[in-house]
Amino acid sequence: MYAALKNLALDLFLALQNLPVIRYLPSPNGREILLGDLLRFSLLAVSDDFDVRLITPLLNAVSKNESDEEIWSKFYELATESTPPPRQLPYPHQTPISFNTGSFVNTSENRKHFNNALKEKLDSSLYINVPGFFNTFFGDVANLTSITDTVFRKCQEEKDPLYNEKKNGWRD
């Protein structure tokens, strides 16, 4: 039953994500739009940390075919109750002790640190030289090679090109 409820919750979250209004409704947590909360719940629903009891009022409202207003109200309650308020950093004007991908404000200034932090965060999920990767993910894209060649050639043109092999590759 637990797995079935998790699947129902995930199906509901995925269905709600397809509604255009989700990109305009404000988040109750001050995180811009409600879509962000919904995406977070979608990821949470497939994890072991998901507490199905949190979602039952929303699932009940949907199963009883309650009004859209009531269903959105239940989701807002869920998003508000299960999201802790943002934590204030103990020393807001100090540099973080360790780098991670969330600690970068402007990645163009910190690219060398960002790449290392991203690699560390991905850790064992990062695979290199996977056999058949390109054909599996990009093999069905028509004219991909000619399109990428054209784009790359355009990146090397102009007075100040985006890519210049003599200047160690990519600009900015």
Side-chain angles (χ1 to χ4, degrees):
M1 175 145 166
Y2 178 76
L5 285 174
K6 280 180 71 167
N7 285 331
L8 277 174
L10 184 58
D11 288 342
L12 176 61
F13 294 150
L14 293 173
L16 291 175
Q17 286 176 31
N18 290 322
L19 299 174
V21 72
I22 198 73
R23 294 178 187 95
Y24 304 104
L25 292 172
S27 168
N29 303 306
R31 292 190 173 126
E32 296 186 22
I33 57 174
L34 196 57
L35 178 61
D37 295 312
L38 192 53
L39 293 171
R40 192 176 60 78
F41 279 113
S42 297
L43 291 172
L44 190 59
V46 295
S47 76
D48 292 335
D49 298 330
F50 188 64
D51 184 358
V52 176
R53 292 174 295 185
L54 292 174
I55 190 74
T56 43
L58 177 60
L59 290 175
N60 286 336
V62 171
S63 68
K64 292 177 184 174
N65 204 19
E66 292 185 13
S67 70
D68 289 352
E69 213 173 82
E70 188 61 31
I71 291 170
W72 283 116
S73 174
K74 295 291 184 197
F75 185 77
Y76 267 91
E77 288 172 21
L78 172 68
T80 304
E81 289 173 13
S82 59
T83 307
R87 292 182 309 170
Q88 178 69 24
L89 294 174
Y91 307 103
H93 302 296
Q94 287 186 345
T95 304
I97 293 171
S98 65
F99 288 110
N100 63 46
T101 55
S103 66
F104 295 102
V105 176
N106 185 345
T107 58
S108 66
E109 293 176 6
N110 300 302
R111 184 166 290 143
K112 64 183 176 199
H113 299 297
F114 182 80
N115 287 343
N116 290 336
L118 183 60
K119 190 172 184 177
E120 185 178 311
K121 189 171 191 171
L122 292 174
D123 195 27
S124 64
S125 301
L126 185 63
Y127 297 96
I128 299 171
N129 296 328
V130 176
F133 177 84
F134 184 85
N135 287 335
T136 300
F137 288 96
F138 304 108
D140 293 338
V141 179
N143 302 319
L144 180 63
T145 304
S146 64
I147 292 169
T148 55
D149 288 344
T150 302
V151 170
F152 187 61
R153 195 170 44 255
K154 290 280 187 188
C155 290
Q156 298 177 66
E157 295 175 357
E158 302 300 322
K159 190 177 185 179
D160 187 20
L162 290 173
Y163 183 84
N164 187 335
E165 196 167 326
K166 293 176 185 173
K167 293 184 179 180
N168 296 328
W170 294 100
R171 178 185 61 156
D172 300 330

